[in-house]
Amino acid sequence: MLPALKIWALLSVSLCCLSQPAHLKKGFRCPSTCSCSKESVICVGSSYVPRITPNDISSSVVNGTFSEVKEAMFAHMPSLQLLLNSNSLVTIRDDAFSGLSHLEYFIEGNKIETASRFAFKTLRDLTHSLANNNIKALPRDLFSDLDSLIEDLRGNAFECDCHATWLMMWLKNTNATVSEVVCTGPEDMKDKRLNDMTSLHNECISTDFILHQSVMSESLSADTFSYKNDVYVAIAAPSAESCMVFQWDHIEMNFRTYDNITQSIVGCKSVVIQSQVFVIVAQLFGGSHIYKFDEDQSRFSKFQDIEVSKISKPNDTEALQISSDWFFVIADSSKAGLSTLYKWNDKGFYSYQLLHEWYRDTDAEFLDLDGKVRLILVSRSQVPVIYQWSRSSQKFVLQGIPNMEDVVTVKHFWIKEELYLAMTCYIGDSKVLRWGAKQFAEIQALPSRGSMILQPFSFKERSYLALGSDYTFSQIYLWDDDKKVFEHFRGVHPGAALLHCGFHRLQGLH
Ligand SMILES: *[C@@H]1O[C@H](CO)[C@@H](O)[C@H](O)[C@H]1NC(C)=O
Ligand SMILES: *[C@@H]1O[C@H](CO)[C@@H](O)[C@H](O)[C@H]1NC(C)=O
Ligand SMILES: *[C@@H]1O[C@H](CO)[C@@H](O)[C@H](O)[C@H]1NC(C)=O
Ligand SMILES: *[C@@H]1O[C@H](CO)[C@@H](O)[C@H](O)[C@H]1NC(C)=O
């Protein structure tokens, strides 16, 4: 028998004694909807959770009209028996039970939809009933810190899709006493017991991201390119003083080391022009260079020095073709520097346009909108700017300024023919913007802590955003087509700073 019945028994006994005078404690007023004795408080139809004192071994609050249990309500209690059945509870705040180590807790017949992962953080010992609520899913590892657990989950609305995989595995392996968990969806799982399942055959199982390969070097950027049916990735690794080029090994199914372009690197960007591969290697202060792939020797050799009189701290390099012409831009992040556009003239790249006197650009992004090429530059110290390519003058002309500040990087992406920007802020909120009639407008803010990249990518017709973090878990968001916003998808272990993704490849790099 689950102990819920025990407490109900206690409640019925106490209710029949209501006529007896209550034993009031010193300095404690028994709330008017309650009946208080030495060891318990019983409230019926209360509109709030009554304050409970440490002497109350058990408390029952039933048929109340409140919808929330607030933070630290019971922080002063060492252990507690609490019955909150048949109220209108929707939310139990994260640390409602902080400080407690032992809890017997019944919230049957409320309207709870989920439990917070942090709800039971300090507890060692929990007897719990969530029966007859409206729970569709529980967060992973909800119970993992507990030493002992008795749990009743009957009468809920569990969705047994891929997100319930952990619960299925946990039900199989746990030592806890747990009721059966009956699925109400998806359609083919209706009325089945999750306890009996061995696998959940939903498609979302395959769309998770797992670490495939790590490169044992810190890196600042990763860039993929294809050349003659092979896929390469060029990784800028300043600590190894190298632009490391890897090639996809079709048999081993991973990237193998291919060549190292050795310099003090901050960025390496690949461009394939007229079936020749170039890698633009940007380095701090000492000038930047272009390397060309030498097919005979199967390695990259130096092709050209880049004229960099106005550049001292390159922070990003992007390449683009406009009609038949090739360009690349270097975003310069030094105070005195000037971001510069270079153009290919069949012999090499030469400096073509100095972009306006702009201090400390951190990222550049080209995009093509309605047949017009635009260039966006962002900076930690100024608002971002958009340039539009003018066909008549064959130059970039300054266009519009989205209302944003302190942007580290900008990336563009398309979802169903709509154009979006992902703008990363180091502190504060990173933003998703959508192109409206004539300008970009914010549609969503994602909290950022030490974020250096908000990288869009798509996989199996789904659109994702990876938000990197220097301090905590990096996060992956998934586009919700109905709500037209990104929903949180999952966290990626701390330390995997997400820097860059190839078209359909996600590089999680140390
Ligand atoms: C709470 O409400 C339900 C439904 O109205 C009722 O059956 C039950 O007796 C009430 N419980 C108490 C303790 O008043
Ligand atoms: C269950 O209990 C056994 C023996 O006490 C222990 O070795 C095991 O790790 C426990 N399993 C879980 C999932 O807690
Ligand atoms: C490139 O450098 C890395 C790290 O220093 C080394 O492990 C690798 O073998 C080198 N690859 C080539 C092709 O030289
Ligand atoms: C690029 O700019 C960011 C933001 O100011 C800075 O943290 C980073 O160190 C810069 N990278 C390089 C290679 O200078």
Side-chain angles (χ1 to χ4, degrees), residues 466-470 472-476 488 490-498:
L467 179 66
S469 172
D470 279 10
T472 170
F473 286 82
S474 293
Q475 303 298 336
I476 297 180
H488 186 249
R490 60 161 289 182
V492 180
H493 74 93
L498 295 162

Side-chain angles (χ1 to χ4, degrees), residues 244 257-260:
M244 304 188 290
T257 179
Y258 187 73
D259 193 10
N260 292 310

Side-chain angles (χ1 to χ4, degrees), residues 98-132:
S98 64
L100 282 166
S101 64
H102 175 95
L103 178 65
E104 285 186 31
Y105 178 39
F106 303 88
I107 38 174
E108 297 178 5
N110 283 279
K111 295 167 186 156
I112 307 275
E113 288 179 6
T114 186
S116 156
R117 206 177 87 76
F118 305 106
F120 308 130
K121 221 165 24 186
T122 61
L123 285 178
R124 302 268 51 91
D125 185 0
L126 176 66
T127 300
H128 195 220
S129 174
L130 279 167
N132 300 320

Side-chain angles (χ1 to χ4, degrees), residues 311-381:
I311 289 182
S312 53
K313 270 185 90 180
N315 208 295
D316 185 41
T317 314
E318 292 294 336
L320 171 87
Q321 190 172 21
I322 303 176
S323 344
S324 58
D325 295 326
W326 274 97
F327 297 87
F328 72 85
V329 63
I330 295 183
D332 192 281
S333 63
S334 70
K335 259 188 184 152
L338 206 49
S339 295
T340 305
L341 186 71
Y342 295 83
K343 187 179 177 194
W344 174 253
N345 73 351
D346 287 332
K347 294 196 190 71
F349 282 97
Y350 64 97
S351 135
Y352 180 73
Q353 180 178 359
L354 295 175
L355 299 164
H356 81 146
E357 302 265 2
W358 187 268
Y359 290 161
R360 300 165 153 215
D361 288 330
T362 49
D363 196 20
E365 178 83 340
F366 287 114
L367 56 96
D368 192 325
L369 181 63
D370 308 327
K372 293 187 183 112
V373 175
R374 286 176 172 84
L375 169 63
I376 304 182
L377 289 178
V378 298
S379 149
R380 292 291 305 272
S381 53

Side-chain angles (χ1 to χ4, degrees), residues 201-247:
H201 56 90
N202 285 290
E203 52 155 359
C204 42
I205 287 171
S206 63
T207 26
D208 201 357
F209 296 94
I210 51 165
L211 182 66
H212 179 71
Q213 188 181 351
S214 331
V215 175
M216 287 304 142
S217 185
E218 288 172 346
S219 73
L220 275 173
S221 74
D223 183 38
T224 54
F225 60 96
S226 327
Y227 181 63
K228 300 203 167 159
N229 297 326
D230 279 315
V231 175
Y232 298 81
V233 54
I235 294 177
S239 55
E241 301 221 315
S242 182
C243 171
M244 304 188 290
V245 182
F246 294 83
Q247 184 188 44

Side-chain angles (χ1 to χ4, degrees), residues 7-229:
I7 295 222
W8 270 117
L10 172 82
L11 175 69
S12 344
V13 171
S14 312
L15 283 176
C16 71
C17 311
L18 274 180
S19 52
Q20 289 181 7
H23 304 267
L24 296 183
K25 285 169 216 94
K26 224 178 176 180
F28 172 72
R29 285 179 61 92
C30 187
S32 62
T33 52
C34 307
S35 122
C36 309
S37 75
K38 257 186 191 147
E39 284 157 353
S40 65
V41 174
I42 298 161
C43 310
V44 180
S46 187
S47 61
Y48 58 96
V49 183
R51 192 174 156 72
I52 291 163
T53 75
N55 295 332
D56 302 318
I57 292 168
S58 83
S59 301
S60 307
V61 185
V62 298
N63 289 9
T65 53
F66 47 90
S67 63
E68 180 178 285
V69 176
K70 296 205 168 57
E71 283 90 350
M73 271 294 296
F74 310 106
H76 53 292
M77 305 285 294
S79 86
L80 180 67
Q81 279 183 347
L82 183 65
L83 184 127
L84 293 177
N85 286 357
S86 311
N87 294 294
S88 309
L89 279 172
V90 179
T91 314
I92 310 285
R93 292 280 171 194
D94 275 13
D95 55 357
F97 301 112
S98 64
L100 282 166
S101 64
H102 175 95
L103 178 65
E104 285 186 31
Y105 178 39
F106 303 88
I107 38 174
E108 297 178 5
N110 283 279
K111 295 167 186 156
I112 307 275
E113 288 179 6
T114 186
S116 156
R117 206 177 87 76
F118 305 106
F120 308 130
K121 221 165 24 186
T122 61
L123 285 178
R124 302 268 51 91
D125 185 0
L126 176 66
T127 300
H128 195 220
S129 174
L130 279 167
N132 300 320
N133 277 282
N134 198 19
I135 294 173
K136 294 192 172 60
L138 287 173
R140 190 185 287 255
D141 302 332
L142 178 64
F143 305 117
S144 62
D145 296 333
L146 296 165
D147 294 337
S148 103
L149 172 68
I150 299 172
E151 177 66 83
D152 188 349
L153 296 170
R154 290 171 299 177
N156 280 289
F158 280 96
E159 276 297 310
C160 297
D161 60 11
C162 62
H163 302 295
T165 307
W166 79 267
L167 186 58
M168 178 189 77
M169 299 308 292
W170 179 78
L171 286 170
K172 275 189 197 15
N173 297 321
T174 184
N175 292 337
T177 307
V178 199
S179 67
E180 62 176 8
V181 174
V182 177
C183 308
T184 53
E187 203 50 44
D188 62 335
M189 300 294 280
K190 205 166 186 309
D191 299 330
K192 289 186 181 159
R193 278 163 43 99
L194 187 61
N195 313 54
D196 303 334
M197 303 282 148
T198 48
S199 70
L200 299 174
H201 56 90
N202 285 290
E203 52 155 359
C204 42
I205 287 171
S206 63
T207 26
D208 201 357
F209 296 94
I210 51 165
L211 182 66
H212 179 71
Q213 188 181 351
S214 331
V215 175
M216 287 304 142
S217 185
E218 288 172 346
S219 73
L220 275 173
S221 74
D223 183 38
T224 54
F225 60 96
S226 327
Y227 181 63
K228 300 203 167 159
N229 297 326

